[in-house]
Structures are given as structure tokens and as C-alpha cells.
Amino acid sequence: MARRLTVSLVAAALAVAVGGAWLWFGRDLPRPAALRAEPTSALYALVDSRQADAAPVTVAEIFTPGTQTLGDLTREAVEELVDCDDALWGASAPGCTQALRATYRGSSVAGQFVIFNLPDGRTADALVAALRADGFVRQATPFDPARSRAEVRALGHYVTVSWLGATTAARGTDLVRPLIALDALGNAIQARVLAAT
């Protein structure tokens, strides 16, 4: 009996260790179940390079008081990362000078929005291609990646990533409407285009 108890305790400890290792080493590896990625377009020609659009983006510009809530989503945290690559796994952002990230939570979903400030549209498109194929942004708030959707867009010399997933076991959670609301944070770059005209 004592031997069986010892074996059970060892098995339980091993399971906890493996689970803990997965959480520690695998936590940065999730990708969205559905991903749409777009290169930049002529619409963003006026902000296609940092030379033409030199002012850094600010937290106040992207995450305004009016975007504290987005439908059912409420902003939980905002941060400016010192190193853009801290927001990524399996990909890098050469020449990136800024990465701003905010997390949002709703009743049954959570998500994040990240914006990268890159040298030009060519490097922005390269990051979009890398996020489509090689890696992704690090998950900064808990949700189920297997039930998640993401939009990745190059907007001139910027890249935005909107990623949202379910937080409850309930099936049929609507991800489309809250993702559209989250992705609308990128409209701040359209305001820069209008200001440059």
C-alpha cells in the first residue's frame, strides 16, 4: 500500500512538473486559430516611411479615453515595450523603435492590441509575412488560443495585431464583433494619413 502511494505521489509530482514546464516554456508559443494578414496599401502611402511620419506614436494617441471600453471589452492594461522583440516569439522586428500593447477583457472573451513602429512599409510587410508563417505576438492576457481570431495589418510603416479569444468553456462565443472593435484601434493611423494630406 505504501509503495502504491509513493508511486502515485511520484506520478502526481511528475505531472505537475511537466504541466509547469509546459506553462513556463510553452506560454509564448500560442498562435490564433484563425488569422487574417494584410500588407500595406496605397491608402497609407503618406505614412509609408518613418522619414515621412517621424513623430512617435504615443499611448494617449492610440489608447484614448474613448477606447477604454470597446463594446463589451474593457481595457485592463497598457504598456510601451522597450524592445519590440519582447512582444514577439519566432519572429523579429528589425528597425522597430516602438511597440505599444493593451489588453482588454469582456464577459466571455479577452484580447490584446499591439502596434509596432517600423522603418518603412517594406519592413512592415516583412513582419506581417513573418507573423503569418513563423511566429506570432506573445500572449499577454489569458484566453483560449484554440478558440481565437487575429487580424494583422501593415499600415504604412506600422504593423497592428489584434488578437482575441474565448475565456469561457461555452461554445459559440462571438469573436467577430469584439475583434472588429479591437482592430478599430488601428484607425489612429488613418488619422495620421489625414493629417498628412
XYZ file of all heavy atoms in Angstrom, residues 35-92:
429
model
N -6.462 33.417 -38.672
C -5.597 34.590 -38.835
C -5.813 35.208 -40.208
O -5.808 34.512 -41.228
C -4.128 34.172 -38.681
C -3.064 35.210 -39.030
C -3.150 36.410 -38.115
C -1.681 34.588 -38.959
N -5.996 36.521 -40.217
C -6.066 37.273 -41.473
C -4.927 38.277 -41.453
O -4.786 39.036 -40.490
C -7.405 37.988 -41.574
C -7.583 38.717 -42.868
C -8.985 39.251 -42.989
N -9.074 40.094 -44.167
C -9.872 41.115 -44.269
N -10.660 41.442 -43.275
N -9.899 41.831 -45.363
N -4.106 38.282 -42.479
C -2.941 39.166 -42.527
C -2.957 39.949 -43.835
O -3.195 39.379 -44.899
C -1.658 38.345 -42.411
N -2.685 41.255 -43.739
C -2.732 42.126 -44.913
C -1.475 42.979 -45.011
O -1.070 43.596 -44.024
C -3.940 43.078 -44.821
C -5.277 42.407 -44.805
C -6.410 43.410 -44.653
O -6.139 44.630 -44.574
O -7.568 42.973 -44.617
N -0.892 43.076 -46.215
C 0.224 44.013 -46.417
C -0.311 45.439 -46.493
O -1.522 45.665 -46.585
C 0.806 43.566 -47.764
C -0.364 42.974 -48.483
C -1.231 42.347 -47.430
N 0.593 46.392 -46.481
C 0.170 47.790 -46.587
C -0.379 48.073 -47.987
O -0.209 47.275 -48.913
C 1.335 48.745 -46.227
O 0.804 50.062 -46.070
C 2.426 48.733 -47.270
N -1.036 49.212 -48.115
C -1.649 49.562 -49.404
C -1.373 51.028 -49.712
O -0.837 51.772 -48.885
C -3.163 49.315 -49.346
O -3.774 50.262 -48.478
N -1.798 51.439 -50.888
C -1.597 52.828 -51.325
C -2.308 53.824 -50.413
O -1.914 54.982 -50.336
C -2.086 52.983 -52.767
N -3.326 53.379 -49.703
C -4.038 54.250 -48.775
C -3.096 54.854 -47.738
O -3.301 55.978 -47.273
C -5.148 53.456 -48.077
C -5.952 54.175 -47.003
C -6.754 55.323 -47.600
C -6.873 53.216 -46.279
N -2.020 54.112 -47.412
C -1.086 54.551 -46.368
C 0.219 55.084 -46.940
O 1.222 55.167 -46.234
C -0.826 53.385 -45.406
C -2.090 52.972 -44.690
C -2.849 51.905 -45.161
C -2.538 53.673 -43.582
C -4.029 51.545 -44.530
C -3.715 53.323 -42.950
C -4.458 52.262 -43.416
O -5.636 51.920 -42.796
N 0.210 55.494 -48.209
C 1.438 55.973 -48.861
C 2.052 57.173 -48.143
O 3.276 57.312 -48.091
C 1.154 56.322 -50.318
N 1.231 58.025 -47.562
C 1.751 59.220 -46.893
C 2.457 58.902 -45.568
O 3.178 59.745 -45.040
C 0.625 60.230 -46.653
C 0.043 60.864 -47.917
C -1.175 61.718 -47.588
C 1.102 61.695 -48.639
N 2.236 57.695 -45.050
C 2.932 57.274 -43.822
C 3.704 55.976 -44.091
O 3.825 55.120 -43.233
C 1.964 57.116 -42.628
C 1.367 58.453 -42.230
C 0.875 56.086 -42.925
N 4.232 55.871 -45.322
C 4.928 54.639 -45.696
C 6.347 54.564 -45.150
O 6.972 53.520 -45.221
C 4.957 54.481 -47.225
C 5.359 53.072 -47.626
O 4.656 52.119 -47.230
O 6.400 52.909 -48.301
N 6.849 55.653 -44.596
C 8.185 55.603 -44.007
C 8.224 56.465 -42.753
O 7.443 57.410 -42.606
C 9.250 56.086 -44.995
O 9.194 57.485 -45.117
N 9.134 56.122 -41.867
C 9.311 56.904 -40.647
C 9.864 58.289 -40.972
O 9.626 59.242 -40.234
C 10.215 56.157 -39.676
C 10.061 56.640 -38.237
C 11.002 55.934 -37.298
N 10.644 54.551 -37.113
C 11.522 53.551 -37.105
N 12.812 53.788 -37.281
N 11.127 52.317 -36.918
N 10.576 58.413 -42.099
C 11.083 59.731 -42.516
C 9.929 60.675 -42.814
O 9.979 61.860 -42.492
C 11.986 59.592 -43.742
C 13.336 58.966 -43.428
C 14.191 58.846 -44.684
O 13.686 58.637 -45.772
N 15.499 58.972 -44.505
N 8.879 60.146 -43.451
C 7.717 60.974 -43.794
C 6.784 61.168 -42.607
O 5.978 62.104 -42.597
C 6.954 60.323 -44.949
N 6.884 60.305 -41.619
C 5.965 60.307 -40.474
C 6.811 60.103 -39.211
O 6.813 59.046 -38.603
C 4.947 59.173 -40.663
C 4.011 59.016 -39.489
O 3.466 60.017 -39.003
O 3.833 57.863 -39.038
N 7.558 61.143 -38.851
C 8.621 60.997 -37.853
C 8.146 60.987 -36.403
O 8.819 60.422 -35.540
C 9.648 62.115 -38.028
N 7.007 61.586 -36.102
C 6.573 61.675 -34.704
C 6.232 60.291 -34.168
O 5.463 59.555 -34.785
C 5.363 62.588 -34.590
N 6.799 59.901 -33.037
C 6.469 58.591 -32.469
C 4.983 58.513 -32.111
O 4.361 59.533 -31.788
C 7.325 58.516 -31.193
C 8.332 59.596 -31.313
C 7.751 60.641 -32.211
N 4.420 57.319 -32.174
C 3.057 57.143 -31.673
C 3.122 57.183 -30.151
O 4.143 56.835 -29.552
C 2.417 55.819 -32.163
C 2.119 55.879 -33.631
C 3.247 54.612 -31.809
N 2.040 57.617 -29.540
C 2.000 57.687 -28.082
C 0.858 56.835 -27.556
O -0.109 56.539 -28.279
C 1.803 59.133 -27.599
O 0.503 59.583 -28.018
C 2.882 60.060 -28.151
N 0.972 56.460 -26.300
C -0.099 55.709 -25.654
C -1.398 56.513 -25.719
O -2.461 55.970 -26.034
C 0.292 55.381 -24.192
C -0.906 54.883 -23.403
C 1.409 54.343 -24.156
N -1.311 57.819 -25.465
C -2.514 58.657 -25.474
C -3.146 58.748 -26.859
O -4.366 58.905 -26.982
C -2.163 60.054 -24.967
N -2.325 58.654 -27.906
C -2.846 58.727 -29.282
C -3.589 57.448 -29.664
O -4.650 57.508 -30.297
C -1.672 58.945 -30.243
C -2.029 58.960 -31.704
C -0.816 59.053 -32.617
O 0.335 59.060 -32.108
O -1.010 59.103 -33.841
N -3.038 56.313 -29.305
C -3.633 55.033 -29.704
C -4.730 54.601 -28.739
O -5.808 54.164 -29.153
C -2.557 53.934 -29.797
C -1.421 54.352 -30.745
C -3.178 52.604 -30.252
C -1.825 54.572 -32.176
N -4.462 54.717 -27.449
C -5.395 54.224 -26.422
C -6.020 55.417 -25.695
O -5.673 55.735 -24.567
C -4.663 53.283 -25.461
C -3.944 52.166 -26.173
C -2.562 52.095 -26.178
C -4.648 51.196 -26.871
C -1.895 51.079 -26.843
C -3.995 50.184 -27.549
C -2.614 50.118 -27.542
N -6.926 56.081 -26.384
C -7.571 57.283 -25.872
C -8.584 56.923 -24.781
O -8.976 55.749 -24.656
C -8.306 58.004 -27.010
O -9.390 57.166 -27.448
C -7.385 58.293 -28.191
N -9.040 57.918 -24.016
C -10.109 57.645 -23.040
C -11.353 57.049 -23.706
O -12.050 56.230 -23.110
C -10.404 59.026 -22.441
C -9.113 59.765 -22.573
C -8.517 59.289 -23.878
N -11.610 57.429 -24.951
C -12.758 56.895 -25.678
C -12.637 55.425 -26.037
O -13.622 54.791 -26.422
N -11.427 54.868 -25.934
C -11.240 53.439 -26.227
C -11.022 52.629 -24.944
O -10.572 51.495 -25.006
C -10.057 53.218 -27.190
O -8.839 53.665 -26.566
C -10.269 53.950 -28.500
N -11.367 53.221 -23.785
C -11.302 52.472 -22.528
C -12.251 51.281 -22.585
O -11.966 50.209 -22.084
C -11.649 53.388 -21.352
C -11.665 52.693 -19.988
C -10.308 52.157 -19.571
O -9.289 52.762 -19.849
N -10.296 50.998 -18.927
N -13.401 51.487 -23.221
C -14.335 50.380 -23.472
C -14.589 50.309 -24.974
O -14.716 51.334 -25.650
C -15.670 50.568 -22.722
O -16.261 51.798 -23.115
C -15.467 50.549 -21.220
N -14.638 49.091 -25.470
C -14.930 48.814 -26.882
C -16.055 47.788 -26.898
O -15.810 46.581 -26.807
C -13.692 48.251 -27.593
C -12.430 49.117 -27.585
C -11.236 48.324 -28.110
C -12.644 50.373 -28.410
N -17.299 48.261 -26.950
C -18.422 47.343 -26.824
C -18.392 46.703 -25.438
O -18.389 47.390 -24.413
N -18.304 45.363 -25.415
C -18.268 44.611 -24.153
C -16.861 44.554 -23.550
O -16.677 44.111 -22.430
C -18.787 43.178 -24.429
C -18.817 42.315 -23.180
O -19.275 42.811 -22.135
O -18.368 41.160 -23.240
N -15.853 45.006 -24.293
C -14.472 44.915 -23.838
C -14.074 46.142 -23.013
O -14.424 47.262 -23.367
C -13.516 44.808 -25.032
C -13.669 43.604 -25.951
C -12.801 43.780 -27.189
C -13.296 42.332 -25.216
N -13.321 45.891 -21.946
C -12.789 46.972 -21.114
C -11.276 46.837 -21.061
O -10.751 45.735 -20.843
C -13.362 46.900 -19.686
O -14.785 47.004 -19.755
C -12.818 48.031 -18.819
N -10.591 47.952 -21.264
C -9.126 47.924 -21.231
C -8.636 47.654 -19.812
O -9.082 48.271 -18.854
C -8.581 49.260 -21.754
C -7.088 49.235 -21.972
C -6.601 50.397 -22.816
N -6.917 51.681 -22.232
C -7.494 52.686 -22.886
N -7.819 52.562 -24.165
N -7.756 53.825 -22.296
N -7.692 46.702 -19.712
C -7.123 46.341 -18.414
C -5.755 46.945 -18.184
O -5.424 47.345 -17.074
C -7.005 44.814 -18.297
C -8.330 44.095 -18.209
C -8.146 42.636 -17.881
O -7.258 41.988 -18.482
O -8.884 42.132 -17.021
N -4.919 46.984 -19.217
C -3.548 47.464 -19.057
C -3.026 47.987 -20.379
O -3.449 47.542 -21.452
C -2.651 46.326 -18.563
N -2.094 48.933 -20.290
C -1.402 49.482 -21.455
C 0.074 49.541 -21.111
O 0.438 49.876 -19.982
C -1.897 50.900 -21.797
C -1.091 51.494 -22.942
C -3.368 50.905 -22.138
N 0.917 49.197 -22.071
C 2.361 49.288 -21.835
C 3.090 49.640 -23.118
O 2.636 49.330 -24.214
C 2.908 47.987 -21.254
C 2.707 46.778 -22.140
C 3.120 45.477 -21.468
O 4.105 45.482 -20.705
O 2.455 44.464 -21.717
N 4.225 50.309 -22.947
C 5.143 50.550 -24.056
C 6.368 49.698 -23.793
O 7.027 49.859 -22.760
C 5.521 52.020 -24.166
C 6.433 52.289 -25.357
C 6.569 53.763 -25.699
O 6.005 54.602 -24.994
O 7.247 54.047 -26.710
N 6.654 48.784 -24.710
C 7.771 47.857 -24.524
C 9.075 48.511 -24.979
O 9.119 49.157 -26.022
C 7.519 46.568 -25.295
C 6.222 45.845 -24.890
C 5.929 44.712 -25.855
C 6.310 45.326 -23.469
N 10.112 48.329 -24.198
C 11.416 48.912 -24.509
C 11.991 48.276 -25.772
O 12.526 48.943 -26.641
C 12.378 48.732 -23.317
C 13.772 49.208 -23.672
C 11.848 49.463 -22.095
N 11.855 46.970 -25.889
C 12.374 46.217 -27.033
C 11.184 45.605 -27.772
O 10.428 44.822 -27.184
C 13.330 45.136 -26.542
C 14.000 44.360 -27.669
O 13.513 44.420 -28.819
O 15.000 43.671 -27.399
N 11.012 45.951 -29.039
C 9.872 45.428 -29.810
C 9.835 43.907 -29.817
O 8.754 43.302 -29.811
C 9.933 45.944 -31.242
S 9.775 47.744 -31.388
N 11.013 43.278 -29.849
C 11.056 41.818 -29.900
C 10.527 41.176 -28.624
O 10.219 39.985 -28.614
C 12.472 41.331 -30.205
C 12.851 41.542 -31.668
O 11.955 41.864 -32.481
O 14.037 41.396 -32.003
N 10.386 41.951 -27.537
C 9.781 41.417 -26.315
C 8.312 41.085 -26.523
O 7.728 40.326 -25.754
C 9.912 42.419 -25.156
C 11.333 42.514 -24.628
O 12.157 41.635 -24.948
O 11.612 43.484 -23.897
N 7.699 41.662 -27.556
C 6.296 41.389 -27.854
C 6.121 40.205 -28.797
O 4.996 39.826 -29.102
C 5.643 42.619 -28.471
N 7.241 39.621 -29.261
C 7.191 38.598 -30.315
C 7.845 37.298 -29.881
O 8.713 37.285 -29.018
C 7.926 39.111 -31.559
C 7.388 40.381 -32.204
C 8.422 40.969 -33.154
C 6.089 40.077 -32.943
N 7.422 36.205 -30.516
C 8.180 34.952 -30.453
C 8.241 34.407 -31.882
O 7.306 34.575 -32.660
C 7.545 33.929 -29.498
C 6.215 33.394 -29.947
C 4.981 33.853 -29.597
C 5.985 32.310 -30.855
N 4.000 33.130 -30.234
C 4.589 32.169 -31.005
C 6.825 31.437 -31.560
C 4.014 31.196 -31.827
C 6.251 30.470 -32.370
C 4.857 30.357 -32.498
N 9.360 33.807 -32.245
C 9.503 33.189 -33.564
C 9.590 34.174 -34.708
O 9.555 33.781 -35.876
N 9.667 35.456 -34.414
C 9.788 36.499 -35.432
C 10.514 37.669 -34.785
O 10.595 37.753 -33.558
C 8.407 36.940 -35.927
N 11.047 38.547 -35.618
C 11.686 39.743 -35.071
C 11.248 40.947 -35.894
O 10.693 40.806 -36.987
C 13.208 39.608 -35.066
O 13.694 39.527 -36.387
